[in-house]
Amino acid sequence: MINNRENMSVSERLISSRQNRQLDEVRGRMIVTACALIMIAASVAITIFLGVKGLQSFLVNGVSPIEFLTSLNWNPTDSDPKYGVLPFIFGSFAVTILSALIAAPLGIAGAIFMTEIAPNWGKKVLQPVIELLVGIPSVVYGFIGLTVLVPFIAQFKSSGTGHSLLAGTIVLSVMILPTITSISADAMASLPKSLREGSYALGATRWQTIRKVLVPAAFPTLMTAVVLGMARAFGEALAVQMVIGNTRVLPESPFDTAGTLTTIITLNMGHTTYGSVENNTLWSMGLVLLVMSFLFILLIRYLSSRRKV
Amino acid sequence: MSIATEAVMKQEVYQVNGMNLWYGQHHALKNINLSIYENEVTAIIGPSGCGKSTFIKTLNLMIQMTPNVKLAGELNYNGSNILKDKVDIVDLRKNIGMVFQKGNPFPQSIFDNVAYGPRVHGTKNKKKLQEIVEKSLKDVALWDEVKDRLHTSALSLSGGQQQRLCIARALATNPDILLMDEPTSALDPISTRKIEELILELKDKYTIVIVTHNMQQAARVSDQTAFFYMGELVECDNTNKMFSNPKDQRTLDYISGKFG
């Protein structure tokens, strides 16, 4: 075809080049669409699979969903087995909320320091710190918690080791700190310069500007950062499992041992038989986790729809 | 009253004496000498990059927020050199309101926007704040348009309304001076006219400095005009005089549209 090029008329040449370009367009679009479809298919498949598996304990094995969600008694190996997972739901929420309470003020304050107080060297120092915190594998966090935090907490307890809700909370708060800090810093940095100018021109001090203009303006995004951190805390298993003690009773204080949905799943998934009632209830816990993460996503969507600037 | 006696009676608010400014190595303002008089409108004109925005930002020291800025010379405000003397910058900016190119209301309610200045300067009394907000909004002729929705977001206002709100916000701290940095450059002709009418009303109570790239605007609203070119103050004179009979060839070229 190329050899004939000179013999072709102008209109023929135009048509052939257009055909080539269109082929290119179609190919590119197909590749990208296929990738997107794979992603969608994977997440839909996981959701359906988890839904089916998670409902089996209720539909096939006859475990009461109300008992499952509200009973404090988890004893699947008893001759009269009990499948109440409320202690673990409580444990998951407790570590999530407590770690967010620690990490949110720290992370948001760090973000303000980075963007408003010391934008030059603050960013240079904190940025690598945050990246480092992200890069540390969760097993290392758990290991450090186990060797440093757990013996330390034991000193404040009358008996037993320092495995506790508190240890899990502290480990998690360090783990979610980078998420909260980096998203908060982006939120603060993306505020228009005109807001700062407007406030300073009225004679406001830097702190007044931060407190009364910048933080309120960025508030929905700061909350998104906290919710993303909480979602990570809710789903984290390994590091928590190493320090929390993994007991099946409701903790009475932060110094007590506890269990979370994720730690109980990882601990028991290996030694239960596939298809058994206990195994199926573990899938049900997984379903609870999935429903929770959907709720977190809904919350984030709601918050981002309220963005002001 | 003759022009000569009027000139004697005029009260200087700013007296700029040999002021220089550098951004790093770049000499952006070169030996500026200029007086700004009470209850007058002073227009600053000149082509882009001539230093007019930089100049107006020195008047309330906002320029010091820019990194690597160096200032020298005298900038006398009510008799004290605010470049040398230790001035209370909070108090200075309370007395010198500023309005920017584009309306920049905070993402808060209309009421909270206007009440922001008085609040940061310590006014807590609700009734007092309400009075200030009402008065400031009336001063910019926005009150009738927004009095029923003071607690809705300021971002729901139109561009022209937002700019008038920002002027009201600046007036709420009860300043002596109003600095306006191209306040109508982002507005439509009708909103622009409203702001210009406002400027003429406000000059009874305030001293106004306005930067504009629009020479007709300078001619319409100002008493004295300063023409900046490449960091120099080329000419500063009574507006009518300058537009009818400029002294410097560069001024003539600029106002007759030969460059700009």
Side-chain angles (χ1 to χ4, degrees):
Chain A
M1 201 167 89
I2 294 162
N3 297 339
N4 303 341
R5 217 180 157 91
E6 279 160 33
N7 304 332
M8 285 196 296
S9 73
V10 173
S11 68
E12 277 173 330
R13 274 215 307 271
L14 281 173
I15 288 167
S16 84
S17 79
R18 187 163 155 258
Q19 277 170 342
N20 281 337
R21 202 161 54 236
Q22 270 190 338
L23 202 68
D24 220 38
E25 285 289 312
V26 170
R27 200 184 298 134
R29 199 169 63 196
M30 271 168 58
I31 293 172
V32 176
T33 312
C35 292
L37 284 177
I38 290 172
M39 281 169 64
I40 295 168
S43 49
V44 169
I46 290 172
T47 308
I48 292 173
F49 182 76
L50 197 52
V52 170
K53 286 297 291 180
L55 289 174
Q56 250 170 17
S57 57
F58 309 129
L59 300 177
V60 178
N61 308 117
V63 176
S64 154
I66 296 172
E67 187 203 330
F68 180 77
L69 290 173
T70 58
S71 164
L72 290 172
N73 196 346
W74 172 257
N75 203 348
T77 49
D78 199 55
S79 56
D80 175 24
K82 293 279 187 281
Y83 302 103
V85 299
L86 187 60
F88 314 133
I89 294 179
F90 176 84
S92 282
F93 275 101
V95 289
T96 302
I97 292 167
L98 290 176
S99 61
L101 284 179
I102 296 175
L106 278 176
I108 293 173
I112 290 171
F113 179 81
M114 255 165 84
T115 54
E116 302 301 321
I117 310 285
N120 293 323
W121 68 269
K123 209 171 171 71
K124 264 184 216 147
V125 176
L126 267 175
Q127 197 70 42
V129 168
I130 291 167
E131 281 157 11
L132 197 72
L133 285 177
V134 175
I136 296 173
S138 60
V139 65
V140 175
Y141 279 111
F143 203 36
I144 295 173
L146 191 62
T147 41
V148 180
L149 214 50
V150 168
F152 180 74
I153 290 171
Q155 293 173 7
F156 300 94
K157 288 172 74 172
S158 50
S159 64
T161 65
H163 289 90
S164 59
L165 198 60
L166 181 65
T169 300
I170 294 174
V171 167
L172 274 181
S173 55
V174 178
M175 289 179 73
I176 66 174
L177 197 55
T179 310
I180 296 179
T181 313
S182 57
I183 296 171
S184 301
D186 287 347
M188 297 298 292
S190 69
L191 292 174
K193 205 176 129 215
S194 64
L195 284 184
R196 295 180 183 90
E197 282 180 342
S199 175
Y200 288 127
L202 286 163
T205 61
R206 182 152 66 176
W207 183 240
Q208 285 170 330
T209 304
I210 291 170
R211 198 161 55 93
K212 295 187 172 164
V213 176
L214 301 181
V215 169
F219 191 74
T221 324
L222 297 180
M223 283 303 102
T224 305
V226 174
V227 174
L228 278 170
M230 286 172 73
R232 172 145 195 237
F234 202 79
E236 173 57 36
L238 195 56
V240 184
Q241 183 198 315
M242 290 166 79
V243 297
I244 202 166
N246 308 305
T247 46
R248 52 179 84 161
V249 288
L250 207 61
E252 281 167 5
S253 88
F255 292 97
D256 286 351
T257 54
T260 71
L261 291 168
T262 49
T263 64
I264 298 301
I265 293 174
T266 47
L267 273 180
N268 294 310
M269 207 42 122
H271 64 77
T272 52
T273 336
Y274 187 79
S276 68
V277 189
E278 188 183 357
N279 187 278
N280 281 346
T281 52
L282 294 178
W283 281 104
S284 302
M285 288 191 219
L287 185 60
V288 172
L289 284 171
L290 184 75
V291 170
M292 276 312 300
S293 55
F294 278 136
L295 290 181
F296 279 125
I297 292 168
L298 280 180
L299 192 57
I300 290 166
R301 292 248 152 174
Y302 170 73
L303 286 169
S304 29
S305 74
R306 287 172 48 100
R307 295 239 306 247
K308 296 176 195 165
V309 183
Chain B
M1 195 189 289
S2 74
I3 292 172
T5 48
E6 203 183 80
V8 172
M9 286 177 65
K10 281 200 288 192
Q11 186 79 35
E12 276 181 348
V13 179
Y14 279 108
Q15 203 224 337
V16 187
N17 251 343
M19 185 172 77
N20 283 281
L21 182 144
W22 293 264
Y23 290 120
Q25 296 296 313
H26 175 58
H27 198 174
L29 290 177
K30 297 166 188 162
N31 193 28
I32 308 293
N33 296 292
L34 173 68
S35 288
I36 291 168
Y37 301 99
E38 194 169 22
N39 296 84
E40 274 198 1
V41 178
T42 300
I44 314 277
I45 60 168
S48 302
C50 68
K52 56 188 194 298
S53 270
T54 301
F55 175 74
I56 200 171
K57 281 186 191 158
T58 59
L59 296 180
N60 64 348
L61 298 181
M62 281 291 276
I63 198 71
Q64 289 178 341
M65 285 174 61
T66 316
N68 297 323
V69 161
K70 216 182 96 201
L71 277 151
E74 275 181 42
L75 174 56
N76 295 305
Y77 167 64
N78 287 339
S80 64
N81 180 5
I82 59 174
L83 298 186
K84 279 263 163 55
D85 302 348
K86 283 276 170 219
V87 287
D88 180 357
I89 211 152
V90 168
D91 207 47
L92 183 79
R93 290 186 186 152
K94 185 170 166 258
N95 288 318
I96 306 172
M98 188 166 196
V99 178
F100 298 86
Q101 266 187 38
K102 216 170 152 284
N104 58 347
F106 305 133
Q108 299 166 2
S109 73
I110 294 168
F111 184 94
D112 289 342
N113 263 280
V114 183
Y116 183 82
R119 275 182 180 145
V120 300
H121 296 297
T123 308
K124 289 210 177 78
N125 185 315
K126 261 203 169 149
K127 227 179 131 238
K128 185 99 175 75
L129 285 173
Q130 258 157 5
E131 279 169 23
I132 295 174
V133 169
E134 182 172 343
K135 185 179 172 300
S136 307
L137 288 171
K138 278 180 175 162
D139 278 351
V140 300
L142 196 59
W143 176 253
D144 289 332
E145 291 162 58
V146 301
K147 65 181 174 201
D148 300 324
R149 47 175 179 142
L150 287 176
H151 295 283
T152 55
S153 169
L155 301 182
S156 66
L157 299 174
S158 73
Q161 288 174 323
Q162 289 191 8
Q163 191 59 290
R164 276 185 286 152
L165 178 72
C166 291
I167 299 174
R169 187 174 68 184
L171 299 183
T173 62
N174 196 21
D176 305 322
I177 298 173
L178 201 53
L179 307 177
M180 307 175 109
D181 187 1
E182 300 195 26
T184 61
S185 62
L187 298 181
D188 60 274
I190 294 169
S191 305
T192 300
R193 209 177 118 199
K194 278 189 185 166
I195 302 266
E196 288 181 8
E197 284 167 2
L198 190 59
I199 291 170
L200 292 173
E201 276 171 40
L202 291 173
K203 76 170 197 179
D204 290 340
K205 287 191 243 168
Y206 307 94
T207 305
I208 296 174
V209 182
I210 176 172
V211 165
T212 177
H213 57 229
N214 180 336
M215 281 171 285
Q216 285 76 27
Q217 183 170 65
R220 284 192 296 262
V221 302
S222 71
D223 300 295
Q224 97 171 327
T225 299
F227 171 57
F228 278 67
Y229 184 60
M230 294 177 76
E232 278 177 63
L233 174 61
V234 175
E235 190 169 346
C236 175
D237 209 336
N238 176 288
T239 299
N240 289 334
K241 233 197 253 171
M242 184 189 284
F243 278 92
S244 56
N245 189 16
K247 291 187 206 113
D248 195 289
Q249 184 62 35
R250 289 170 293 179
T251 317
L252 178 65
D253 288 348
Y254 183 68
I255 60 176
S256 59
K258 284 207 180 135
F259 70 98

